[in-house]
Amino acid sequence: MKVDYIVVGTGIAGISFCEQLKANNKSFVVFDNASQQSSTVAGGLYNPVVLKRFTSVWKSDEQLDLALPLYAKIESELNVKLDYKIPVYRKFASLEEQNDWFSASDKPLLSKWLSAKIIKNDNAAIDAPFGFGEVLETGRIDVKTMIEAYKSDLNSKNLLFEDAFEYDLIEETNNGIQYKNISAAQVVFAEGYGIKQNPFFKHLPLVPAKGELLIIHTPELQIDFVLKAGVFLIPLGDDTYIVGATYEWKDLTNNVSIKAKDELAAKLTKLISCPYKIVNQVAGIRPTVKDRRPLVGQHDKHKNLFVLNGLGTRGVMIGPYVAKQLYDFIENNKPLEKAIDIKRFEH
Ligand SMILES: Cc1cc2nc3c(=O)[nH]c(=O)nc-3n(C[C@H](O)[C@H](O)[C@H](O)COP(=O)(O)OP(=O)(O)OC[C@H]3O[C@@H](n4cnc5c(N)ncnc54)[C@H](O)[C@@H]3O)c2cc1C
């Protein structure tokens, strides 16, 4: 079998890269061993504003301009609903925070995303005496549905190997790479935290951050916006909500923990007064990076091996953006942005 690319990983990064390949008529096969589940469990929010500090996310315009059309394309190709437009309400903790919001909403970069109107709370189940600020142009991508549909489509075309990619079986040839019976011009590794097993890229400073979420059922809450107040509350429909997320740097398994459940339940109890039932709990490892920028680029010796990683806490927005940069770098000789190029860690 002869292909242009082998892609390792069917998370947000791998799928974003496959979409570049499809758009440019490149042939490819994909490997995924289901060892990581950051993308599968992700809340899926896209939100151009950092709600802790009321600043704009790095390259948010550029990222949204690429990400939303890409998800729309997958929706129509695979006949699934992925993009749920929904506003994000930031709960104010004080009058001072309201004022900070007002001044932020006046700034040129932020005015299109921060509504200057303070929304009063009229929901008896929520404790929010200072009201909310609304972020515009936000939404949720149903990443789990996307991955399931994408894998099933790849499977139907015999393009998916649900196996571990075995690094020591790579042979370098004059035309690229030989891996088992597959000849490929290039290999793109989009393995999330799995990068730590990859002898070619494990030296990169990825700092894994485990995150857990609760799925709750609460008929009395009745909100149709994402609520950010310490935790996120994301409506999924049918009185079901995602509550999250936690950050943990020591336990790096995909197992759910009582500690995370208790932490999220405690935050939730402070925020809402209606009864709720926990119906599920999930965990995954976010591939975050020391300097909070993605890890993209070419191996310095093995020139046919590339990495697409470090999507951190905002994979939904950043994945399509960095996938395009990597594609243009490999195929069109366009230099990578310095901020994302792995060369920044070479001395
Ligand atoms: C609890 C939680 C909530 C989150 N919420 C949000 C959110 O609301 N919005 C947002 O934008 N981001 C969110 N994120 C972050 C987002 O999930 C990540 O940025 C994103 O999932 C990273 O995608 P990835 O494709 O790089 O990695 P992954 O999703 O980890 O995918 C890597 C894939 O590679 C495969 N793989 C690895 N090694 C091998 C190998 N050797 N052989 C074969 N396959 C291999 C793995 O099985 C996996 O499928 C959240 C993360 C967590 C954990």
Side-chain angles (χ1 to χ4, degrees):
M1 180 190 250
K2 196 166 180 291
V3 287
D4 297 317
Y5 282 81
I6 294 175
V7 177
V8 183
T10 55
I12 298 170
I15 289 179
S16 300
F17 196 77
C18 290
E19 281 300 294
Q20 286 296 321
L21 297 177
K22 271 162 84 177
N24 291 285
N25 290 318
K26 298 286 178 191
S27 58
F28 61 93
V29 291
V30 187
F31 283 77
D32 198 293
N33 63 352
S35 58
Q36 293 303 318
Q37 51 191 48
S38 177
S39 300
T40 328
V41 304
L45 273 190
Y46 56 89
N47 158 28
V49 179
V50 182
L51 290 173
K52 225 186 241 173
R53 298 187 292 270
F54 308 154
T55 53
S56 113
V57 165
W58 176 73
K59 302 269 179 191
S60 41
D61 266 326
E62 292 90 334
Q63 289 182 21
L64 281 175
D65 283 353
L66 281 169
L68 298 185
L70 181 129
Y71 297 120
K73 187 163 160 273
I74 299 177
E75 280 184 328
S76 77
E77 278 171 5
L78 302 183
N79 200 18
V80 282
K81 169 107 180 112
L82 301 177
D83 187 357
Y84 294 84
K85 309 280 181 204
I86 183 166
V88 172
Y89 285 15
R90 163 66 151 82
K91 178 183 148 175
F92 296 126
S94 60
L95 284 176
E96 200 187 340
E97 269 201 352
Q98 282 187 350
N99 288 335
D100 291 349
W101 180 275
F102 274 131
S103 20
S105 70
D106 232 13
K107 291 185 184 152
L109 272 176
L110 287 164
S111 57
K112 65 178 168 187
W113 288 318
L114 299 186
S115 159
K117 211 174 85 201
I118 302 282
I119 297 171
K120 275 202 185 138
N121 178 35
D122 56 8
N123 187 325
I126 302 173
D127 174 33
F130 298 100
F132 315 105
E134 180 179 356
V135 189
L136 310 167
E137 297 186 44
T138 52
R140 177 178 71 87
I141 300 297
D142 183 347
V143 183
K144 186 166 186 264
T145 297
M146 174 173 81
I147 292 174
E148 283 167 4
Y150 214 89
K151 284 170 84 169
S152 137
D153 184 60
L154 290 174
N155 258 327
S156 71
K157 295 170 178 153
N158 289 324
L159 298 179
L160 178 64
F161 297 91
E162 298 196 69
D163 283 330
F165 185 87
E166 296 171 68
Y167 311 100
D168 51 351
L169 298 186
I170 290 184
E171 290 167 44
E172 283 172 286
T173 64
N174 290 338
N175 307 320
I177 295 293
Q178 187 69 34
Y179 178 78
K180 297 185 179 172
N181 65 342
I182 306 167
S183 340
Q186 330 282 3
V187 183
V188 170
F189 292 105
E191 306 157 297
Y193 176 47
I195 195 177
K196 290 290 176 196
Q197 314 297 320
N198 183 329
F200 302 104
F201 293 109
K202 69 178 177 193
H203 61 281
L204 293 170
L206 188 119
V207 185
K210 180 173 180 171
E212 297 193 45
L213 300 167
L214 299 179
I215 314 297
I216 61 163
H217 186 254
T218 169
E220 282 173 48
L221 185 56
Q222 295 294 324
I223 61 172
D224 57 1
F225 50 86
V226 172
L227 176 57
K228 164 70 174 160
V231 278
F232 271 107
L233 256 178
I234 309 173
L236 295 176
D238 296 328
D239 300 323
T240 304
Y241 299 82
I242 295 176
V243 184
T246 57
Y247 283 81
E248 158 67 44
W249 293 269
K250 285 196 187 107
D251 163 18
L252 296 173
T253 66
N254 284 325
N255 305 331
V256 297
S257 69
I258 293 175
K259 185 176 158 217
K261 185 172 128 189
D262 289 348
E263 179 187 325
L264 292 171
K267 287 186 176 162
L268 191 58
T269 307
K270 274 197 195 148
L271 182 61
I272 63 171
S273 55
C274 54
Y276 65 87
K277 205 170 107 195
I278 298 173
V279 291
N280 199 7
Q281 184 178 355
V282 289
I285 312 293
R286 305 173 186 90
T288 51
V289 184
K290 209 166 64 174
D291 64 0
R292 291 162 184 255
R293 293 289 174 265
L295 297 170
V296 185
Q298 182 176 37
H299 193 278
D300 62 345
K301 292 199 185 69
H302 307 284
K303 301 291 184 194
N304 304 88
L305 305 184
F306 299 87
V307 65
L308 186 62
N309 209 316
L311 270 46
T313 58
R314 294 175 186 270
V316 167
M317 277 176 67
I318 214 169
Y321 178 74
V322 288
K324 179 160 187 347
Q325 285 232 5
L326 181 60
Y327 183 84
D328 284 341
F329 170 70
I330 302 173
E331 295 289 342
N332 302 324
N333 282 323
K334 276 200 196 164
L336 289 168
E337 242 171 82
K338 285 204 174 71
I340 67 170
D341 193 336
I342 53 170
K343 282 210 176 87
R344 69 193 187 276
F345 298 113
E346 284 164 14
H347 300 289

